[in-house]
């Protein structure tokens, strides 16, 4: 018996036999790609990245979602880091990685649950109709061709798929995902602080000097930081949500130590938000804090008292603090990045209506509403306002829009934009009702409080910004809406008393 056991233990296992068969070709391919350089090295790296993101799906859908959530905040950095080894290229195939993994995850979900995912929760039918409109607008000839439509789908349609993922995840997963956003927000912001203090590394500056489609990086005489994201707007939106999540967890923490830790994270992200120069994100944070404070009240009288307490310091700052002028911002030298960005932020936050960019935005919106949209009632195509339209269709001469809602009106028509906003409003009302019905101090109430805080912020950022097209933010927004829809149905179907 003992000899037999020894023989069995010394036999190589199946995976060990296959290991050289797998590793030797991969090693040979890596050596060839490094020697060949150029596109071979680029595609090998992207293939390895795609495999790394797809592999967790073999474990579970949640593992795959975590992998993509880890990748998205650093997608911009990886995109720019390739220029350590490769020359600049206008094509960015890295943007195809997560859409492919997302579609693979959707196929796995459909195989497991069938077509009922498109209608099984209160908001699923509305989201499916919106997704169908987005899909049909890919083929709208007014945008300039199918390539432009597919480019728009990467920004707009693919994130919608995360709604169906949100229908399947549990509260524990969503809570962990929100905690992950706080941690990633702090870590990535440290790199943004490095960019502010020491400037961009050479490979990132190389990308900035060559790219043609990122004009909002300049502030006065300096360049605003990007951290590890693809744009300053994405960085601002991500840490805006992270700050609200941290404050939400801090307000419901069971111990003083945890509460202090969460509030420190929230304060750190709020401070970093000032350095992004993203005024819309700052106003979103202020709105979210107001909602978070109001939700802690148990009576309407308490809510009014909390509101007055929260508004008072904001009003005092707005009245007593003088907003910097444009000359004040330009007075900072090219080496004073932090001072310039803070001056830009203070100017737009304290006097938003007097900001030149806001006046220009109103002028563009007036032109679009009066001169453009009436002649395109059904939209010009899903990619009509994307980078793909500027790159592949020179006949579309649209001004900067900076509003996802107005952009949806232009690309897919007013009915689609109204449907999108109705989905957000319904999700907001659902989250508020479920928070009020949840047992106080329960884990469910904690998650519902954060969800209810984030929904009005997403609405505001959809009017004044492009939140639902940002790589690391849009999927989280749709994931949250899907979870709200599914949890509302689940809790409504539970017997009373459970």
């Amino acid at each position: 018996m003992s000899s037999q056991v020894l023989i069995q233990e010394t036999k190589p296992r199946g995976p060990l036999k296959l290991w050289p068969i797998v590793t030797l070709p991969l090693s040979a391919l890596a050596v060839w790609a490094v020697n060949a350089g150029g596109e071979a090295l680029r595609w090998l790296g992207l293939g390895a990245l795609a495999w790394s993101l797809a592999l967790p799906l073999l474990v579970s859908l949640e593992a795959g979602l975590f992998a993509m959530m880890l990748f998205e905040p650093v997608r911009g950095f990886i995109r720019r880091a390739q220029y350590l080894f490769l020359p600049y290229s206008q094509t960015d195939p890295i943007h195809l990685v997560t859409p492919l993994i997302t579609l693979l995850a959707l196929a796995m979900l459909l195989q497991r649950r069938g077509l009922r995912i498109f209608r099984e929760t209160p908001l699923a039918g509305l989201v499916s109709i919106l997704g169908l409109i987005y899909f049909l607008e890919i083929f709208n000839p007014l945008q300039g061709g199918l390539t432009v439509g597919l480019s728009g789908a990467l920004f707009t349609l693919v994130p919608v798929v995360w709604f169906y993922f949100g229908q399947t995840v549990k509260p524990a997963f969503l809570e962990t995902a929100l905690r992950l956003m706080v941690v990633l927000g702090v870590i990535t912001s440290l790199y943004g602080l490095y960019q502010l203090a020491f400037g961009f590394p050479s490979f990132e500056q190389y990308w900035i000097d060559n790219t043609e489609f990122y004009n909002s990086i300049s502030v006065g005489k300096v360049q605003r930081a990007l951290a590890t994201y693809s744009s300053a707007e994405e960085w601002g939106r991500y840490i805006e949500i992270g700050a609200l999540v941290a404050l939400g967890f801090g307000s419901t923490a069971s111990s003083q130590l945890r509460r202090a830790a969460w509030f420190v994270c929230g304060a750190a992200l709020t401070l970093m938000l000032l350095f992004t120069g993203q005024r819309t994100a700052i106003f979103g944070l202020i709105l979210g804090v107001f909602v978070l404070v109001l939700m802690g009240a148990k009576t309407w009288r308490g809510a009014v008292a909390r509101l007055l307490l929260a508004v008072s310091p904001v009003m005092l700052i707005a009245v007593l603090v003088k907003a910097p002028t444009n000359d004040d911002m330009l007075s900072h030298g090219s080496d004073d990045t932090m001072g310039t960005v803070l001056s830009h932020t203070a100017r737009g936050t304290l006097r938003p209506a007097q900001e030149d960019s806001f006046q220009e935005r109103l002028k563009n919106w007036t032109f679009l509403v009066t001169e453009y949209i009436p002649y395109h009632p059904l939209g010009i195509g899903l990619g009509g306002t994307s980078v793909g339209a500027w790159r592949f269709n020179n006949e579309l001469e649209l001004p900067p829009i900076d509003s996802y809602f107005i952009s949806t009106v232009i690309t897919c028509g007013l009915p689609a934009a109204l449907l999108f906003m109705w989905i957000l409003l319904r999700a907001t009302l659902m989250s508020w009702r479920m928070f009020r019905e949840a047992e106080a101090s329960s884990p469910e109430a904690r998650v519902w409080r954060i969800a209810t805080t984030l929904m009005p912020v997403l609405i505001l950022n959809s009017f004044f910004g492009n939140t639902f097209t940002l790589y690391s933010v849009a999927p989280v927004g749709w994931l949250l809406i899907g979870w709200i829809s599914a949890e509302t149905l689940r809790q409504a179907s539970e017997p009373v008393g459970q």
Side-chain angles (χ1 to χ4, degrees):
M1 289 292 293
S2 60
S3 61
Q4 292 180 358
V5 172
L6 290 174
I7 291 175
Q8 289 177 357
E9 288 181 350
T10 56
K11 286 184 177 180
R13 297 179 181 179
L16 293 178
K17 291 181 178 180
L18 296 176
W19 183 257
I21 300 177
V22 175
T23 57
L24 288 177
L26 289 178
S27 301
L29 181 62
V31 172
W32 169 79
V34 170
N35 290 329
E39 292 301 314
L41 183 58
R42 188 196 309 272
W43 284 102
L44 177 66
L46 291 177
L49 184 60
W51 174 249
S52 300
L53 295 179
L55 190 60
L57 287 174
L58 299 178
V59 179
S60 66
L61 173 64
E62 290 79 7
L65 297 182
F66 272 129
M68 286 187 280
M69 290 185 68
L70 286 170
F71 167 70
E72 289 297 351
V74 298
R75 183 202 291 206
F77 176 80
I78 297 175
R79 172 191 182 189
R80 299 187 291 271
Q82 67 177 317
Y83 299 121
L84 283 168
F85 313 100
L86 303 170
Y88 179 79
S89 173
Q90 287 189 352
T91 59
D92 286 311
I94 192 174
H95 297 318
L96 300 176
V97 174
T98 45
L100 291 175
I101 305 304
T102 299
L103 295 179
L104 177 61
L106 177 62
M108 295 174 62
L109 184 62
L110 285 171
Q111 183 182 20
R112 190 170 66 210
R113 304 185 60 144
L115 296 177
R116 70 177 185 272
I117 65 171
F118 296 114
R119 62 183 189 280
E120 67 180 345
T121 65
L123 295 179
L126 297 176
V127 174
S128 298
I129 294 173
L130 180 66
L132 179 61
I133 295 173
Y134 285 167
F135 177 77
L136 294 176
E137 289 290 348
I138 293 176
F139 307 96
N140 191 325
L142 297 179
Q143 63 195 332
L146 184 60
T147 302
V148 179
L150 292 174
S151 175
L154 296 178
F155 294 94
T156 306
L157 180 59
V158 171
V160 177
V161 176
W162 283 64
F163 171 87
Y164 303 106
F165 301 154
Q167 292 184 141
T168 66
V169 301
K170 294 180 172 58
F173 171 85
L174 183 66
E175 186 171 356
T176 304
L178 293 175
R179 293 175 187 270
L180 179 66
M181 289 191 69
V182 177
V183 175
L184 292 177
V186 172
I187 294 173
T188 55
S189 293
L190 293 177
Y191 185 66
L193 188 62
Y194 169 83
Q195 291 174 334
L196 286 169
F198 302 103
F200 290 98
S202 59
F203 63 92
E204 293 191 302
Q205 189 62 51
Y206 175 75
W207 173 80
I208 293 171
D209 293 339
N210 284 275
T211 187
E212 304 175 50
F213 303 104
Y214 188 33
N215 300 319
S216 62
I217 191 172
S218 298
V219 176
K221 301 176 182 178
V222 304
Q223 296 172 330
R224 70 178 84 197
L226 309 176
T228 60
Y229 302 85
S230 296
S231 65
E233 181 183 10
E234 184 183 4
W235 180 26
R237 295 296 189 278
Y238 194 90
I239 62 175
E240 169 198 10
I241 294 176
L244 290 173
V245 170
L247 295 175
F249 281 128
S251 63
T252 57
S254 57
S255 67
Q256 294 296 330
L257 182 60
R258 290 183 178 180
R259 178 170 300 182
W262 282 117
F263 280 149
V264 167
C265 290
L269 290 175
T270 300
L271 178 62
M272 289 307 307
L273 184 58
L274 300 178
F275 289 114
T276 66
Q278 294 296 315
R279 282 78 56 89
T280 300
I282 294 174
F283 283 113
L285 177 63
I286 295 173
L287 173 63
V289 170
F290 283 166
V291 174
L292 188 63
V293 170
L294 289 176
M295 288 168 53
K298 297 181 180 180
T299 63
W300 285 107
R301 182 176 299 179
V304 173
R306 283 171 172 258
L307 180 62
L308 292 176
L309 185 63
V311 170
S312 298
V314 176
M315 296 299 296
L316 287 175
I317 293 174
V319 172
L320 300 178
V321 178
K322 182 181 178 181
T325 64
N326 189 56
D327 292 336
D328 293 333
M329 183 183 68
L330 294 177
S331 65
H332 295 276
S334 58
D335 57 341
D336 188 9
T337 305
M338 291 188 179
T340 302
V341 174
L342 286 177
S343 179
H344 171 76
T345 301
R347 180 179 174 223
T349 304
L350 295 173
R351 298 292 184 270
Q354 300 176 11
E355 181 70 10
D356 294 338
S357 60
F358 181 73
Q359 297 295 331
E360 185 66 22
R361 184 179 298 182
L362 292 180
K363 180 180 177 181
N364 293 336
W365 290 352
T366 302
F367 164 76
L368 292 170
V369 171
T370 59
E371 302 292 336
Y372 196 86
I373 293 176
Y375 300 99
H376 304 87
L378 299 180
I380 62 173
L382 192 61
T385 59
S386 68
V387 175
W390 302 334
R391 180 173 291 167
F392 300 112
N393 186 5
N394 295 326
E395 296 181 1
L396 285 177
E397 298 181 355
L398 293 173
I401 299 173
D402 296 322
S403 170
Y404 183 78
F405 180 78
I406 296 179
S407 177
T408 303
V409 176
I410 295 173
T411 58
C412 301
L414 182 61
L418 294 176
L419 176 59
F420 167 74
M421 197 53 60
W422 177 240
I423 291 171
L424 295 187
L425 289 172
R426 282 201 61 188
T428 303
L429 294 175
M430 286 178 178
S431 61
W432 170 258
R433 185 173 66 251
M434 297 309 299
F435 167 73
R436 302 303 297 178
E437 294 178 359
E439 182 180 353
S441 302
S442 65
E444 292 78 12
R446 178 172 61 240
V447 180
W448 279 117
R449 186 173 184 177
I450 295 175
T452 308
T453 300
L454 293 179
M455 287 308 305
V457 175
L458 292 176
I459 294 176
L460 175 67
N461 289 344
S462 297
F463 274 104
F464 299 95
N466 298 298
T467 299
F468 279 89
T469 61
L470 301 176
Y471 303 124
S472 59
V473 180
V476 176
W478 283 113
L479 182 78
L480 179 65
I481 297 170
W483 179 83
I484 291 172
S485 182
E487 283 297 301
T488 301
L489 177 64
R490 184 186 65 80
Q491 296 191 26
S493 62
E494 286 183 351
V496 178
Q498 284 194 355

